Amino acid sequence: AVLTLTALAAFEAVAVMPAAALQLGAARASARRIGTILDEPDPVTEPAVPRPRPSGPVHVRMSGVQVRYEPDGPLALDGLDLDLSAGRRVALIGPSGAGKSTAAAVLLRFRDPAGGAVTLNGADLASYAADDVRTVIGGCPQDPHIFDATVRDNLRLGRPGASGDELTAVAARTRLLPWIDSLPKSWDTPVGAHGAAMSGGERQRLALARALLADPAVLVLDEPTAHLDPETRAALTADLLTLTAGRATLLITHEMEGLDQIDEIVVLDHGKVTERGTHAELMRAGGRYRQLQDGPSFWPG
Ligand SMILES: Nc1ncnc2c1ncn2[C@@H]1O[C@H](COP(=O)(O)OP(=O)(O)OP(=O)(O)O)[C@@H](O)[C@H]1O
Ligand SMILES: [Mg+2]
């Protein structure tokens, strides 16, 4: 009996081995992919001795910022000046390829400028640790990543320590609650790879909620209303303007509605500022901005 049982027990150990072997293969492939990423040169340099993370009121200033993606390539951004401080909202608008997301990448320290200066409370942005910069300047990228996880876990990425009440509060502010309540497992519902089980508007709202939960001193929102139908876009734009009122925000957008509520509008084209001012000033100036306000409700192309 002992012999028979020992033999059976041995099979129990062996039976799981094909599955383990399969997992080993997948893990090796993942390790190779991570290795490739780690071998890439870092687009930003970290200071040897970073400055302490700034606390209290934050003031970010870009002056004459230039960016190129290749050493001999064209300037994606050529001489951008921006002033982001408490309570002030700035909109960055312009056609596709103008350099809007490039400006966001510089602010979030994903890319170092080739010329000009970016300062955070008067000190060079590059003198802070990149991760510290991203706790004070944060937001929502143009293509926010939704993970193959539950609604709760996807939102909590914004601030891993957030309580259930805080998650509910931010979901209410971004009008996600009716959708969450309608889900079969509510907050515990998986959203599928890349949020496949969500609509475009729900994905954008989730990304916005995540950014608000992180609560950075300077909020950078890159095309938060892109890829939505006109009705959803109008509703989200209205909510967005309410949610960002009174906080330092850089709003990158193709949307031409609601810009009269923004403190400064900066129009970029081919990396250069072509117009800047308030909505009223730009309307009086009668340039491209005025033409677009009189025409379609969003920047074409
Ligand atoms: N990673 C990259 N490598 C090389 N060139 C890039 C890269 N990202 C952007 N560019 C180039 O830099 C310029 C500005 O691109 P950017 O993404 O900032 O434009 P954008 O104003 O955000 O456009 P959109 O409205 O389409 O989002 C474009 O010419 C673009 O092709
Ligand atoms: Mg962009």
Side-chain angles (χ1 to χ4, degrees), residues 100-101 142 222-223 252:
K100 304 182 298 295
S101 296
Q142 185 159 6
D222 195 351
E223 307 275 6
I252 296 173

Side-chain angles (χ1 to χ4, degrees), residues 69-70 76 94-102 111 142 223 254:
Y69 284 96
E70 302 298 335
S96 190
K100 304 182 298 295
S101 296
T102 302
R111 197 151 283 275
Q142 185 159 6
E223 307 275 6
H254 273 74

